[in-house]
Amino acid sequence: KQWYQRRVAITAGSIDLDYREVCRAVLALVRWRKALIVYPVVSTNEYMVSHAVPICKYPEHDEIFREEFPGFNFYDELSKFSVRKSLSEILDCFKDKETIESYKMIVVWLLRRKLLVQLFAHVYIKPAHDSSSETKLICQNQILPAELSETPDKTDLQTPESPLKNCSYPSLTRGSYINDQTRTNNFRQYLSPHQFRRLKDIQDVDSTVLTNFAKVLPHAHAGRTFEEILWRTNLQQHDLHDIIYRTFSEFLITVRHPTSTY
């Protein structure tokens, strides 16, 4: 978030416009599909060749690519992403820092021309395994992609009203490690009765970690990306990673697929 704010501020200063005006202009261009958001290129990012682009119809890319990146072949570099790969898998074969930085520029070049897509980890609440009527409602309302390659509609990114809002749940005893009312309400609203009972059985979980889990649940219910959850909850990356993949892995699942940003 701070990186984008700095870039927008630099742009605003260079063209003598107010910061807010530039923000509105960028938002409008993205909404009208006249601009493309390229996220910061880091080693953990995962990329794949865009299935929507017929490469054979654009031979001019090869010529431009050779001029901008001498020593690299357009089709060879593109073919490295024919299957999903993290950037670190490719950069590990380079030793000098200059080549690594050049390759990051290659990735940006391919992204700007929509030849590559970045894959994002969308976080979801796992459907519960018990057969109660409440659980069936949760499974019906849980936003999961029909196919792993599909992107949820923009309307899906709005948190729907939970069908369990008015359902009865096992009461928490006073003095339990879950003692915050707002946090408990989130657990009751977004978890099935079976999951809620299972959560009570988990031992040795710090109160702060439980609070962070409660913050994540509404966004996992809406199927938001790992990066978006970081931004919306203001959590540290390692904290969110531990919540999803370690401490509460039995409640959450991630699915990687592209998100439309243009």
Side-chain angles (χ1 to χ4, degrees):
K1 181 182 177 181
Q2 293 177 348
W3 184 88
Y4 282 112
Q5 288 175 337
R6 287 197 301 270
R7 297 301 301 175
V8 173
I10 292 172
T11 302
S14 63
I15 59 179
D16 196 27
L17 282 177
D18 182 70
Y19 176 83
R20 293 182 180 180
E21 291 178 346
V22 174
C23 288
R24 285 194 291 267
V26 170
L27 180 62
L29 288 171
V30 171
R31 185 176 297 163
W32 296 334
R33 299 181 178 234
K34 300 297 183 181
L36 172 68
I37 296 175
V38 176
Y39 292 87
V41 177
V42 297
S43 59
T44 55
N45 287 2
E46 292 189 347
Y47 302 100
M48 189 173 181
V49 173
S50 175
H51 66 280
V53 179
I55 305 300
C56 59
K57 292 186 178 181
Y58 297 94
E60 67 274 11
H61 285 317
D62 184 27
E63 184 178 347
I64 299 172
F65 186 89
R66 280 188 279 110
E67 291 178 358
E68 295 197 26
F69 306 104
F72 292 95
N73 181 277
F74 171 67
Y75 293 105
D76 287 346
E77 302 313 321
L78 199 60
S79 65
K80 292 178 181 178
F81 297 98
S82 57
V83 295
R84 187 186 85 189
K85 280 189 179 179
S86 66
L87 189 57
S88 60
E89 292 180 71
I90 296 181
L91 297 182
D92 284 347
C93 64
F94 301 125
K95 295 182 179 180
D96 59 295
K97 188 174 181 180
E98 184 177 346
T99 306
I100 291 174
E101 293 303 315
S102 296
Y103 205 88
K104 288 181 178 179
M105 294 305 299
I106 289 175
V107 171
V108 173
W109 191 92
L110 295 172
L111 287 168
R112 290 178 63 185
R113 285 157 180 79
K114 305 177 186 177
L115 300 173
L116 287 187
V117 292
Q118 182 175 345
L119 301 177
F120 295 89
H122 290 256
V123 184
Y124 303 95
I125 301 173
K126 285 184 179 179
H129 296 292
D130 60 308
S131 58
S132 65
S133 59
E134 291 92 347
T135 301
K136 291 179 181 178
L137 285 172
I138 271 285
C139 293
Q140 291 171 5
N141 201 49
Q142 175 65 42
I143 302 171
L144 285 172
E147 298 179 7
L148 298 188
S149 60
E150 291 184 357
T151 303
D153 292 334
K154 292 181 180 179
T155 55
D156 289 344
L157 296 180
Q158 304 299 321
T159 306
E161 184 75 4
S162 171
L164 302 180
K165 190 170 184 179
N166 299 318
C167 294
S168 59
Y169 287 83
S171 59
L172 291 168
T173 58
R174 186 174 296 278
S176 168
Y177 63 84
I178 305 175
N179 53 18
D180 179 81
Q181 187 60 45
T182 303
R183 183 172 64 188
T184 303
N185 288 342
N186 268 12
F187 292 150
R188 288 180 170 179
Q189 182 174 355
Y190 296 109
L191 298 178
S192 73
H194 171 76
Q195 291 171 322
F196 188 70
R197 290 191 295 269
R198 179 69 189 99
L199 183 64
K200 292 174 62 179
D201 295 334
I202 298 178
Q203 303 295 324
D204 302 324
V205 178
D206 185 82
S207 177
T208 303
V209 177
L210 280 167
T211 300
N212 290 339
F213 179 45
K215 291 179 182 178
V216 169
L217 281 176
H219 306 295
H221 187 65
R224 294 194 169 104
T225 65
F226 187 95
E227 292 79 7
E228 188 177 4
I229 294 174
L230 279 178
W231 181 77
R232 289 177 178 271
T233 60
N234 204 30
L235 293 175
Q236 295 297 316
Q237 183 169 340
H238 61 85
D239 291 334
L240 181 56
H241 188 277
D242 284 348
I243 287 171
I244 296 172
Y245 298 107
R246 190 173 63 84
T247 310
F248 300 106
S249 59
E250 66 178 280
F251 301 102
L252 301 172
I253 188 172
T254 59
V255 179
R256 290 189 177 272
H257 52 96
T259 294
S260 178
T261 55
Y262 55 86

